[in-house]
Amino acid sequence: MGFISRIISFFGLVLLAHAGYSAHEHTVLYASTSTALPQDIVVEALVSLLIVSTGLVLGAEKLKPVSWSEWAKEVEREGLGRNPYVRLEERYSFWDVRAKRKEYADWIRGNAVDAPVKG
C-alpha cells in the first residue's frame, strides 16, 4: 500500500470514528425520545466509508488475470519466485508416481531380456 493510499484510508477511518462517536452521543442525549439520526451524521458516515474504500482500492495490488492459462504463462515467464503454489507443486512427502512407473518399465525391460524364451 502506498503512502498516499494509507493517508486517505487513515483520514476516512478518522471520519468514520467521528461519525460513530456522533451517533453514539446522539443516542445517549436523546435516549428518551426516538428520533432518527441527523442527516449530517449519516452523510458523514457514508462519505467516510467511500473515502476508506477509495484508499483501500488505491493501495491494493495489481489484479491477477482471470484466465488460469494467462496467469500460468506469466508465472512461467517470471520464474518460480512468483509462483504462490511452488510448495504444493514440489510435493515433498508424496510418492512420485511417474518416476516409479519409469523405474518399473525399465525393470520390466531389463528382466524381459534376461528371461528365457519358452518354446
Side-chain angles (χ1 to χ4, degrees):
M1 203 190 303
F3 181 72
I4 300 293
S5 62
R6 286 184 185 193
I7 294 296
I8 291 171
S9 298
F10 180 73
F11 178 67
L13 287 174
V14 168
L15 283 178
L16 186 60
H18 182 263
Y21 179 75
S22 298
H24 173 71
E25 286 295 314
H26 181 268
T27 55
V28 168
L29 291 174
Y30 299 104
S32 59
T33 62
S34 64
T35 60
L37 285 175
Q39 292 298 320
D40 62 334
I41 296 175
V42 174
V43 169
E44 181 182 7
L46 293 175
V47 168
S48 65
L49 284 174
L50 183 68
I51 292 173
V52 169
S53 299
T54 303
L56 292 175
V57 167
L58 289 175
E61 295 180 14
K62 180 185 169 197
L63 296 176
K64 294 179 181 167
V66 176
S67 173
W68 177 263
S69 61
E70 289 181 24
W71 179 78
K73 287 177 196 173
E74 284 185 17
V75 169
E76 288 296 323
R77 271 186 264 140
E78 294 178 10
L80 293 177
R82 184 176 168 258
N83 187 356
Y85 304 110
V86 71
R87 301 265 336 241
L88 295 174
E89 291 174 357
E90 289 173 352
R91 299 170 52 152
Y92 292 113
S93 62
F94 289 98
W95 189 45
D96 190 3
V97 175
R98 291 180 182 152
K100 294 297 178 183
R101 283 182 184 166
K102 184 177 181 317
E103 284 179 25
Y104 178 72
D106 293 342
W107 178 76
I108 289 294
R109 281 189 218 110
N111 283 344
V113 173
D114 297 336
V117 178
K118 293 184 180 178

